[in-house]
Short mmCIF file of all heavy atoms in Angstrom, two decimals:
data_model
loop_
_atom_site.label_atom_id
_atom_site.label_comp_id
_atom_site.label_asym_id
_atom_site.label_seq_id
_atom_site.Cartn_x
_atom_site.Cartn_y
_atom_site.Cartn_z
N GLY A 80 -22.50 -21.39 -35.96
CA GLY A 80 -22.98 -22.60 -35.11
C GLY A 80 -22.22 -23.81 -35.51
O GLY A 80 -21.14 -23.89 -36.04
N GLY A 81 -22.81 -24.87 -35.04
CA GLY A 81 -22.19 -26.26 -35.25
C GLY A 81 -22.18 -26.50 -36.76
O GLY A 81 -21.13 -27.07 -37.31
N ALA A 82 -23.12 -26.01 -37.50
CA ALA A 82 -23.16 -26.28 -38.91
C ALA A 82 -21.95 -25.71 -39.68
O ALA A 82 -21.36 -26.37 -40.53
CB ALA A 82 -24.39 -25.68 -39.47
N TRP A 108 -26.26 -35.79 -34.82
CA TRP A 108 -25.36 -34.65 -35.12
C TRP A 108 -24.13 -35.10 -35.64
O TRP A 108 -23.52 -34.48 -36.61
CB TRP A 108 -25.18 -33.93 -33.78
CG TRP A 108 -26.42 -33.20 -33.42
CD1 TRP A 108 -27.22 -33.46 -32.34
CD2 TRP A 108 -27.20 -32.23 -34.17
NE1 TRP A 108 -28.34 -32.75 -32.37
CE2 TRP A 108 -28.26 -31.79 -33.48
CE3 TRP A 108 -26.89 -31.48 -35.37
CZ2 TRP A 108 -29.20 -30.84 -33.81
CZ3 TRP A 108 -27.76 -30.46 -35.72
CH2 TRP A 108 -28.95 -30.26 -34.95
N THR A 154 -19.00 -36.93 -31.47
CA THR A 154 -19.91 -36.02 -30.71
C THR A 154 -20.11 -36.53 -29.28
O THR A 154 -20.58 -37.66 -29.08
CB THR A 154 -21.31 -35.90 -31.35
OG1 THR A 154 -21.19 -35.84 -32.81
CG2 THR A 154 -22.14 -34.92 -30.71
N ASN A 156 -21.64 -35.77 -26.72
CA ASN A 156 -23.03 -35.95 -26.16
C ASN A 156 -23.95 -35.74 -27.36
O ASN A 156 -24.01 -34.66 -27.81
CB ASN A 156 -23.19 -34.91 -25.08
CG ASN A 156 -24.59 -35.11 -24.41
OD1 ASN A 156 -24.82 -36.19 -23.74
ND2 ASN A 156 -25.53 -34.21 -24.60
N THR A 158 -27.20 -34.96 -28.49
CA THR A 158 -28.35 -34.28 -27.80
C THR A 158 -29.66 -34.86 -28.03
O THR A 158 -30.64 -34.91 -27.16
CB THR A 158 -28.38 -32.86 -28.39
OG1 THR A 158 -27.07 -32.28 -28.57
CG2 THR A 158 -29.08 -31.92 -27.51
N ASP A 178 -17.41 -32.47 -31.05
CA ASP A 178 -18.55 -31.70 -30.84
C ASP A 178 -19.00 -31.80 -29.62
O ASP A 178 -19.53 -32.80 -29.10
CB ASP A 178 -19.57 -32.01 -31.88
CG ASP A 178 -20.98 -31.19 -31.77
OD1 ASP A 178 -20.98 -30.38 -30.87
OD2 ASP A 178 -21.81 -31.42 -32.72
N SER A 180 -21.21 -29.43 -28.24
CA SER A 180 -22.22 -28.45 -28.08
C SER A 180 -23.16 -28.61 -26.97
O SER A 180 -23.58 -27.62 -26.36
CB SER A 180 -23.11 -28.47 -29.48
OG SER A 180 -22.33 -28.04 -30.55
N SER A 181 -23.52 -29.92 -26.62
CA SER A 181 -24.46 -29.98 -25.50
C SER A 181 -23.83 -30.52 -24.28
O SER A 181 -24.49 -30.80 -23.27
CB SER A 181 -25.62 -30.92 -26.03
OG SER A 181 -25.24 -32.15 -26.60
N CYS A 199 -21.64 -24.97 -30.09
CA CYS A 199 -22.46 -23.86 -30.36
C CYS A 199 -23.01 -23.57 -28.96
O CYS A 199 -23.30 -24.48 -28.05
CB CYS A 199 -23.63 -24.16 -31.31
SG CYS A 199 -24.61 -25.68 -30.95
N GLN A 201 -25.62 -22.26 -27.49
CA GLN A 201 -26.97 -22.09 -27.14
C GLN A 201 -27.56 -23.16 -26.11
O GLN A 201 -28.77 -23.26 -25.96
CB GLN A 201 -27.81 -21.79 -28.36
CG GLN A 201 -28.08 -23.00 -29.30
CD GLN A 201 -27.06 -22.98 -30.29
OE1 GLN A 201 -25.98 -22.29 -30.35
NE2 GLN A 201 -27.49 -23.51 -31.54
N LYS A 202 -26.71 -24.05 -25.62
CA LYS A 202 -27.19 -25.19 -24.78
C LYS A 202 -26.64 -24.89 -23.37
O LYS A 202 -27.43 -24.74 -22.45
CB LYS A 202 -26.86 -26.43 -25.32
CG LYS A 202 -27.56 -26.74 -26.56
CD LYS A 202 -26.94 -27.79 -27.49
CE LYS A 202 -27.39 -27.67 -28.94
NZ LYS A 202 -28.89 -27.86 -29.02
C1 PLP B 401 -24.43 -31.85 -30.58
C2 PLP B 401 -25.00 -30.79 -31.40
N1 PLP B 401 -24.11 -30.49 -32.41
C3 PLP B 401 -24.58 -29.48 -33.31
C4 PLP B 401 -25.77 -28.83 -33.11
C5 PLP B 401 -26.23 -27.82 -34.16
O1 PLP B 401 -25.78 -26.66 -33.99
P1 PLP B 401 -26.19 -25.43 -34.87
O2 PLP B 401 -27.62 -25.33 -35.07
O3 PLP B 401 -25.60 -24.21 -34.11
O4 PLP B 401 -25.57 -25.77 -36.26
C6 PLP B 401 -26.64 -29.18 -32.07
C7 PLP B 401 -27.87 -28.44 -31.88
O5 PLP B 401 -28.81 -28.60 -31.65
C8 PLP B 401 -26.16 -30.19 -31.26
O6 PLP B 401 -26.94 -30.61 -30.22
#
Side-chain angles (χ1 to χ4, degrees):
W108 292 112
T154 311
N156 183 66
T158 323
D178 178 354
S180 294
S181 52
C199 52
Q201 65 264 24
K202 294 157 195 301

